[in-house]
Amino acid sequence: MKITTLKPHKGETWWLEFDDSGTPFFLHASVVHRFQLTQGQHLGADAWERVQQVELSRKAYRYACFLLDRRGYSYQEMYRKLVEKYPSEVCYGTVDRLVHVGLINDRAYAEQLAHHYVAVKHFGMRRARQEMRRRGLLDEQIDRALNPYAEQTDEMLIELIEGRYRKYFGDPSDRKMIEKGKAALVRQGYSFGEINAAVRSALDALEEEETEEEEA
């Protein structure tokens, strides 16, 4: 194939056409210079495939960096995102490059998500684990990241019952509201056993407070 047209197009993009096709191709200036492409040059099919591979890899890496500017990604999650737009081999190469330069680190990302879901959003372990799996993390990574929070479940549940969900548990005699509160806590990812124990503890404390107030 002979390059019949090679000229600057817009910004850092160059316009390229071959003699056997009227279809224009667009390459970044860095790719043109890397392969020392020139007008009138004959380019074999294998050489042109390498040029296209490098151009796609450049675009995929740039897109991945754009995504990472907005939030973190795991290895698998980034691959799934990239493969919607680029060939599989380009996606694997791009994600491996991101790992190499430290822009993707599944262990650090798992720790970040564990803190966000448990310490910030007060999810139970079950829901936190589901959300982290959805982000493409492996069970081993998830378990390691969630382990420091395992003993805080009871304390967080009490905080939720006495704080955000207090409207459900303010009246120990209102069983209907209490059941609604328990259902809300289930959606937060806590088990029935954990919820029932925490609710009993919170209601007992509330009754003691009321008794003390009456005696005073």
Side-chain angles (χ1 to χ4, degrees):
M1 302 182 295
K2 180 180 179 181
I3 300 175
T4 54
T5 302
L6 183 64
K7 61 183 180 180
H9 181 53
K10 292 181 180 179
E12 294 294 310
T13 303
W14 282 58
W15 178 302
L16 181 149
E17 289 184 22
F18 291 106
D19 57 351
D20 61 350
S21 172
T23 303
F25 296 93
F26 300 97
L27 302 175
H28 191 264
S30 62
V31 178
V32 173
H33 296 318
R34 174 177 174 175
F35 288 93
Q36 299 181 340
L37 302 178
T38 58
Q39 188 165 309
Q41 177 182 359
H42 288 271
L43 205 63
D46 290 343
W48 175 235
E49 184 176 346
R50 288 195 298 273
V51 171
Q52 290 180 297
Q53 189 86 353
V54 169
E55 175 65 18
L56 282 175
S57 296
R58 184 196 66 81
K59 289 180 177 178
Y61 187 80
R62 182 178 178 183
Y63 179 55
C65 289
F66 166 77
L67 294 174
L68 288 167
D69 279 342
R70 305 176 71 179
R71 68 171 179 84
Y73 280 79
S74 68
Y75 187 102
Q76 290 188 42
E77 189 182 22
M78 178 59 76
Y79 173 81
R80 292 198 299 259
K81 193 71 175 179
L82 292 178
V83 84
E84 296 173 0
K85 297 167 64 72
Y86 304 102
S88 179
E89 64 274 14
V90 169
C91 298
Y92 278 121
T94 299
V95 183
D96 285 344
R97 182 182 173 190
L98 292 167
V99 171
H100 179 72
V101 299
L103 291 178
I104 285 183
N105 181 324
D106 279 1
R107 181 169 185 172
Y109 186 48
E111 293 172 355
Q112 174 190 337
L113 288 180
H115 175 79
H116 175 70
Y117 288 132
V118 180
V120 178
K121 297 184 75 68
H122 298 291
F123 286 172
M125 291 294 153
R126 177 175 54 80
R127 184 169 177 187
R129 187 170 279 105
Q130 288 174 346
E131 294 294 334
M132 293 171 75
R133 284 197 188 109
R134 188 172 61 83
R135 292 294 185 92
L137 292 168
L138 302 177
D139 285 343
E140 180 182 352
Q141 298 162 342
I142 294 170
D143 291 340
R144 184 187 298 116
L146 288 177
N147 186 58
Y149 301 94
E151 296 182 0
Q152 301 177 27
T153 298
D154 293 342
E155 180 181 342
M156 287 187 292
L157 261 172
I158 294 295
E159 289 180 3
L160 286 173
I161 291 168
E162 295 179 347
R164 189 189 309 173
Y165 295 102
R166 187 178 180 84
K167 63 181 180 180
Y168 295 110
F169 305 102
D171 182 357
S173 65
D174 192 341
R175 305 310 302 177
K176 186 174 182 180
M177 283 297 288
I178 290 173
E179 291 306 313
K180 285 184 178 180
K182 289 182 178 181
L185 291 171
V186 169
R187 291 193 291 273
Q188 281 288 103
Y190 296 95
S191 71
F192 285 109
E194 292 169 338
I195 293 169
N196 288 331
V199 168
R200 281 195 302 270
S201 176
L203 292 180
D204 288 344
L206 181 60
E207 289 177 355
E208 288 179 7
E209 289 178 9
E210 291 177 350
T211 300
E212 291 175 358
E213 290 175 359
E214 290 175 359
E215 292 177 350

